[in-house]
Amino acid sequence: MSSAKKVNSCRICRSKKLFQFLDLGRQPIPNGFLRKENLYKKEFRYKLATLFCKNCRLVQLTHIVRPDIMFKNYAYIPSGAKMMMNNFSNLVYAANQRVKLSKSFCVDIGSNDGSLLKFFKALDAKVLGIDPAQNLADVAIKAGIPTEVMMFDEKTADKIVKSHGRADIITATNVVAHINNLHSLFKGILKLLKDTGIFITEFPYLLDLIAKNQFDTIYHEHLSYFSLKPWLKLIEGYGFEIAEAQRIQIHGGSIRLTHRKKRLKRISRVVKYLMDLEAKQGLHDTQALEDFSKRIFTLRDELRSVLKNLKDRGKRVVGLGAPAKGNVLTNFFNIGTETLDYIVDSTVFKHGLFTPGKHIPIFPEEKLLEDKPDYGLCLAWNFSDEIIRKHRVFQKKGGKFIIPIPEVRII
Ligand code: JHZ
Ligand code: ZN
């Protein structure tokens, strides 16, 4: 496979009736943070645009960047945000209500630094992480979370069953959107999960993404943007049903789904309710998506004009958080070091690096208080409450926050 491949048919239903609705241009990979010595090198850029499948309604990217380019050495860890850890603890609490965790076997797909599995382990479950990023697996293993460095699919599922046996619980948080072959994923889950087992997943929910202008969640890593309608079609093909669906706050609005082997004749009331809501919001049609696209261009003009006004008045602005989504926003809105002096972020891995595309330097969060800029543009807007709380001394000393999404707000 060359470094990027064009999508010609839908990932779930194989239909070729694909409608393009938002074009974010050519962008570098979203977690492609750069070392200083590499800044002069040419960065690869890949088209970033979205398609809507008129048959099953799955929203998906027009191009797939080769996964090893994006995931072998990964800069993102969830454990830098308290909100993430609370969410994981909550997931494990809910799982424990369904399956007695003590002595059960839990496999986490996309296990990152082992943050989620630590909560399962604390309840005496046997755990195994699966992740293609060697740098993060090393961190997890050091922390006592056994981890296999691999991508999960039908073939690797066989290997895991052979060496570890079948699982009582499989989790996959913020990772199914990253997987191209969803059919191989589900074939793998069928092999690995016991008949009595449950599969829990979380992903950003398309309903929130569209309603709250979260265009910067759209990046090369996220190949699919799910609503329940296409998701249900996918899981029913593998004999699963949704035993529980819960909208959660994480990442600006996600959905947590608990699956089990199909028992009921009909879909549950909550799933039906959510699918009706999706239809009402126009997600099963193209109009709402086209309107969303237009709103993003208005948002771009608004944010650029607020920032220009501040710069004209001699104010100093920095970025708060260097998430992948921040790189989409700064690249698409064309906001670089002429506007943001630097970005502060809690992730040690990102310190001393520069953002892809705009080359904005990243520093530890302590710099904010030492340097006292006038404004902080909250690029990790999904954690804005936590970030504002953390930087209350900056605020007390006159610092202000700019929240760019869903619309520009100054606090
Ligand atoms: P955050 C993540 O994307 C990861 P990203 C992943 N790509 C995914 O699928 C989506 O979510 C849904 C920093 N921070 O989570 C830490 C502070 O500096 O929004 C992170 O670098 N101070 C798998 O990369 C960034 O912000 C703080 O107080 O778009 C947040 O990244 C807090 C709370 C965070 O992710
Ligand atoms: Zn489709």
Side-chain angles (χ1 to χ4, degrees):
M1 180 177 169
S2 67
S3 45
K5 183 173 86 175
K6 189 167 181 293
V7 169
N8 294 314
S9 62
C10 171
R11 172 166 305 115
I12 289 183
C13 77
R14 316 278 189 225
S15 165
K16 289 190 186 322
K17 284 195 274 168
L18 302 173
F19 164 83
Q20 185 175 318
F21 67 93
L22 177 64
D23 188 347
L24 295 170
R26 290 176 67 79
Q27 296 218 14
I29 55 167
N31 272 310
F33 296 96
L34 299 158
R35 287 178 207 276
K36 192 170 188 174
E37 62 268 28
N38 292 331
L39 285 179
Y40 71 94
K41 286 191 190 158
K42 188 175 169 340
E43 279 173 277
F44 285 100
R45 288 175 179 267
Y46 307 92
K47 189 174 162 79
L48 185 59
T50 40
L51 300 167
F52 169 75
C53 172
K54 287 191 173 173
N55 181 44
C56 78
R57 273 77 171 170
L58 179 68
V59 170
Q60 49 205 301
L61 289 190
T62 57
H63 287 75
I64 304 170
V65 177
R66 224 174 60 207
D68 61 298
I69 297 177
M70 296 192 286
F71 303 123
K72 272 217 160 140
N73 191 323
Y74 203 49
Y76 167 81
I77 46 165
S79 43
K82 280 192 193 132
M83 187 181 183
M84 274 312 284
M85 294 303 97
N86 289 341
N87 182 57
F88 283 162
S89 144
N90 201 284
L91 182 159
V92 173
Y93 177 83
N96 198 28
Q97 309 288 317
R98 284 193 175 268
V99 176
K100 185 104 193 70
L101 289 185
S102 160
K103 307 281 178 279
S104 66
F105 177 36
C106 308
V107 177
D108 187 28
I109 302 173
S111 51
N112 198 285
D113 61 357
S115 296
L116 171 60
L117 286 178
K118 278 181 200 160
F119 288 99
F120 278 111
K121 198 177 167 192
L123 293 183
D124 211 18
K126 181 187 152 201
V127 299
L128 177 70
I130 315 283
D131 202 289
Q134 182 75 57
N135 65 319
L136 297 178
D138 291 345
V139 176
I141 292 166
K142 241 191 195 158
I145 304 296
T147 305
E148 300 269 9
V149 181
M150 53 169 70
M151 302 248 183
F152 182 82
D153 59 22
E154 207 184 335
K155 275 198 198 132
T156 49
D158 276 331
K159 275 195 197 158
I160 302 163
V161 173
K162 258 193 205 139
S163 48
H164 301 273
R166 291 171 81 197
D168 301 285
I169 300 184
I170 300 178
T171 49
T173 62
N174 296 307
V175 68
V176 286
H178 305 59
I179 297 174
N180 180 25
N181 193 339
L182 294 173
H183 294 285
S184 179
L185 167 73
F186 270 91
K187 283 176 193 163
I189 291 173
L190 269 185
K191 286 181 174 176
L192 179 58
L193 193 66
K194 287 183 187 163
D195 289 344
T196 51
I198 57 171
F199 166 56
I200 306 174
T201 187
E202 287 180 11
F203 44 74
Y205 190 23
L206 187 67
L207 203 57
D208 293 286
L209 190 152
I210 299 295
K212 296 185 234 163
N213 298 335
Q214 297 166 353
F215 80 97
D216 51 354
T217 297
I218 298 174
Y219 48 78
H220 299 112
E221 287 181 16
H222 298 155
L223 304 175
S224 309
Y225 304 84
F226 298 103
S227 57
L228 282 190
K229 195 170 172 73
W231 182 260
L232 207 65
K233 182 176 167 69
L234 175 70
I235 64 152
E236 284 183 342
Y238 293 94
F240 285 106
E241 69 184 0
I242 297 174
E244 202 174 326
Q246 191 188 356
R247 291 180 79 176
I248 50 176
Q249 297 292 316
I250 209 76
H251 293 309
S254 296
I255 193 158
R256 179 187 296 156
L257 301 171
T258 304
H259 306 76
R260 66 178 171 216
K261 291 275 174 68
K262 197 161 176 64
R263 296 182 198 158
L264 304 172
K265 290 240 156 36
R266 265 179 264 140
I267 55 171
S268 71
R269 222 184 302 162
V270 56
V271 172
K272 166 128 192 9
Y273 168 80
L274 287 171
M275 288 211 299
D276 287 348
L277 196 61
E278 291 171 3
K280 253 193 228 150
Q281 303 271 334
L283 293 190
H284 301 163
D285 221 321
T286 54
Q287 190 59 49
L289 304 174
E290 285 183 291
D291 293 347
F292 162 75
S293 279
K294 285 188 199 134
R295 289 200 301 276
I296 303 316
F297 287 89
T298 312
L299 187 68
R300 168 159 83 171
D301 295 344
E302 273 169 20
L303 183 61
R304 286 183 56 82
S305 124
V306 165
L307 292 170
K308 180 170 183 313
N309 187 276
L310 294 178
K311 294 310 282 182
D312 288 349
R313 287 165 39 213
K315 302 294 184 194
R316 290 182 56 230
V317 189
V318 304
L320 303 179
K325 61 174 71 65
N327 299 331
V328 177
L329 186 142
T330 51
N331 280 302
F332 185 58
F333 286 1
N334 196 16
I335 297 168
T337 46
E338 73 301 323
T339 307
L340 301 178
D341 294 359
Y342 54 87
I343 295 176
V344 295
D345 191 282
S346 58
T347 316
V348 180
F349 289 135
K350 295 182 184 174
H351 298 158
L353 300 182
F354 293 76
T355 64
K358 289 297 172 193
H359 298 184
I360 306 167
I362 304 167
F363 290 96
E365 290 182 299
E366 291 70 30
K367 188 170 169 80
L368 196 66
L369 269 191
E370 292 156 17
D371 191 48
K372 301 193 198 72
D374 302 298
Y375 286 81
L377 171 63
C378 199
L379 294 166
W381 48 260
N382 45 323
F383 295 122
S384 56
D385 289 350
E386 186 170 334
I387 288 178
I388 291 173
R389 236 178 293 131
K390 185 184 268 177
H391 297 309
R392 56 184 172 267
V393 180
F394 161 77
Q395 192 179 27
K396 266 199 187 132
K397 294 195 167 165
K400 293 202 160 60
F401 301 96
I402 308 168
I403 316 291
I405 286 186
E407 53 262 328
V408 186
R409 267 186 313 142
I410 297 188
I411 297 176

